[in-house]
Amino acid sequence: MANNEKLRQLGLDKAAFLGLLVLGLIWAEFITFSRSDFKLSEPLAIKGTGIEVSIPSGDGWKRLSNNFKYEDNEFNLVCQMQIGNDSLILAQWRYFTLPLEKTPSERFKIKANSLSGSVKSEGSGKFGDFTFDYAKVVSEKTPAVLFCGTTVLPDGRTITLEVAQRGQGVDLAEKIFKSLLASVKYHPDNPVVNGAELLKKLKASLPAMLSRQGYQNYYRIKDAHGTIVGFTTDTIISPADSNADSAVFAAGLLFVSPAFSAFAEQSLFYSDISISRFDWTIKHGNLLTNRQQPTQISLDGSKVLTVQKQNTVEKVHSTDTMIPDIFLDLTVAEFLKSDFDTVMLEVILSDGKIAPVIFSRINSPETSVLPAESAAGVELFGSNTVYQKMYFDGEGKLLSADIQGSLSYRIERTTKTAILADFPQWLEKIQQIEQYQLKKNSRPK
């Protein structure tokens, strides 16, 4: 009897264990199903681009940033979902502001090499409004799969999507990938298209604008406390005939010395009248001594932009929305005379970097003639996004600007006499900026 009782108890224990195991499997299946039952978010706009995309939404999905973040010539947004201790799904949108040099197939192979894997399949197909080139990449060292998709937008920019799955579990990556590709929406009336049109108008009006008057400007630079910490002066001139063979010459000098450091920059710029070819030399450092670091930026007839400094040379293809920052004031003034509410451009900075910039109106009506004072907001993206409020007079000349970034400061229009009263040691350099003349035999080839 005792043995029979023990057998019955053992049978009940096994039954209870099996019951718990089944319940555990059912619960695990429920958790997996609930996490795989994703939905798409509301459309998310990439600021200034006319592009909207969606990301996975629902329990378990987390964004790694609140919105699209700009870095290294791209806007990106990443989100992920942790399925288990060793399982993860990650989705990343990338919007590139500069033309990509390599073909989609070349980029897929580079991505595969970075994962120590290979491209298992590759193709092209319609998803939503666009045709995407796509590939499936499988890692050979870890249980991971990556789906990549890329397309060139009507304005020439590129958007890509990457969906990766690591570890074991329900194979969601491909399902998410296809759903997200189909979510891309493009609005053709957007700030990038407006920016290209604005620069086209600016370049067409530049000969007449510069033949009527040259631009010689002097500005004080003040810190957040109103203390004068530097100055900047620049000039832009062109021959009076303003014909197709004319050239544009610009020069600038900047000195700023806040409490903790000092910085100086001198630039010489020479281009054809349409700014389709140019040579730009910039010297950084203490310009009163020989400690200088030169940067050479040039644009040739094949639209290749070359940046050379020290022992490095970088080349990128220019676009119809690029403008050297020495023309930033003129471009903003032209924007205020246009019928655009917002435009997006890329500004070629004096250090060789290329930064997206968005112009918007500040209580300024659309008009072909500027009022006595008008204002624009300028948002320049970079490692630290810089916000500017720029104020112009009725002739389109900058009166002042409030600038907020890693440092906050203000520039105010002033006179040469006032600058030399504060910084007499810079007399010779300022005179050099004033006295530069165009030489016909130095036109860009």
Side-chain angles (χ1 to χ4, degrees), residues 341-354:
D341 290 324
T342 310
V343 302
M344 187 176 195
L345 301 169
E346 294 93 44
V347 174
I348 306 168
L349 301 176
S350 59
D351 62 0
K353 294 179 181 178
I354 302 172

Side-chain angles (χ1 to χ4, degrees), residues 120-176:
K120 292 300 182 184
S121 62
E122 191 173 345
S124 178
K126 188 75 176 294
F127 296 88
D129 295 340
F130 292 98
T131 298
F132 282 83
D133 294 302
Y134 60 85
K136 179 180 180 181
V137 175
V138 176
S139 174
E140 297 172 355
K141 290 188 176 182
T142 59
V145 62
L146 172 68
F147 291 91
C148 308
T150 181
T151 191
V152 178
L153 301 167
D155 57 23
R157 296 188 174 188
T158 301
I159 189 168
T160 70
L161 172 67
E162 298 173 0
V163 177
Q165 179 178 327
R166 184 187 68 199
Q168 304 298 324
V170 178
D171 189 7
L172 284 177
E174 187 170 8
K175 181 180 178 182
I176 293 171

Side-chain angles (χ1 to χ4, degrees), residues 128-324:
D129 295 340
F130 292 98
T131 298
F132 282 83
D133 294 302
Y134 60 85
K136 179 180 180 181
V137 175
V138 176
S139 174
E140 297 172 355
K141 290 188 176 182
T142 59
V145 62
L146 172 68
F147 291 91
C148 308
T150 181
T151 191
V152 178
L153 301 167
D155 57 23
R157 296 188 174 188
T158 301
I159 189 168
T160 70
L161 172 67
E162 298 173 0
V163 177
Q165 179 178 327
R166 184 187 68 199
Q168 304 298 324
V170 178
D171 189 7
L172 284 177
E174 187 170 8
K175 181 180 178 182
I176 293 171
F177 177 71
K178 292 179 177 179
S179 297
L180 294 183
L181 286 183
S183 75
V184 178
K185 299 298 179 185
Y186 175 79
H187 302 280
D189 183 13
N190 65 66
V192 175
V193 173
N194 295 345
E197 185 64 27
L198 176 71
L199 287 190
K200 184 178 179 180
K201 292 179 179 179
L202 173 67
K203 293 175 181 179
S205 63
L206 201 58
M209 185 188 308
L210 294 179
S211 65
R212 287 196 308 268
Q213 58 180 342
Y215 285 81
Q216 179 71 56
N217 304 301
Y218 300 93
Y219 298 96
R220 280 190 174 116
I221 302 175
K222 296 182 178 180
D223 64 15
H225 304 290
T227 302
I228 298 172
V229 294
F231 72 91
T232 179
T233 178
D234 59 80
T235 183
I236 302 176
I237 55 176
S238 181
D241 56 6
S242 66
N243 57 42
D245 294 327
S246 296
V248 176
F249 185 88
L253 179 64
L254 165 71
F255 173 72
V256 61
S257 180
F260 54 88
S261 64
F263 174 79
E265 176 182 286
Q266 184 180 39
S267 64
L268 303 176
F269 179 94
Y270 193 92
S271 79
D272 59 7
I273 197 64
S274 63
I275 322 178
S276 59
R277 293 176 298 163
F278 63 75
D279 291 304
W280 188 10
T281 301
I282 306 100
K283 296 179 181 179
H284 309 274
N286 188 338
L287 300 179
L288 296 177
T289 68
N290 292 323
R291 293 191 301 240
Q292 300 172 10
Q293 297 180 354
T295 297
Q296 186 73 35
I297 305 174
S298 62
L299 179 66
D300 63 21
S302 59
K303 301 187 71 173
V304 173
L305 185 73
T306 302
V307 179
Q308 182 174 359
K309 49 186 175 181
Q310 294 182 339
N311 297 321
T312 65
V313 178
E314 296 183 8
K315 294 178 181 289
V316 298
H317 281 279
S318 66
T319 69
D320 293 336
T321 51
M322 281 187 191
I323 190 75

Side-chain angles (χ1 to χ4, degrees), residues 60-95:
W61 282 99
K62 295 181 179 179
R63 298 187 200 181
L64 301 191
S65 60
N66 291 331
N67 211 324
F68 277 88
K69 183 174 63 173
Y70 177 81
E71 54 186 353
D72 297 332
N73 301 318
E74 68 176 85
F75 289 91
N76 64 72
L77 178 63
V78 183
C79 61
Q80 67 179 31
M81 181 180 72
Q82 193 80 37
I83 299 176
N85 291 335
D86 298 319
S87 298
L88 174 76
I89 295 181
L90 181 144
Q92 178 176 221
W93 282 109
R94 305 174 72 187
Y95 175 91

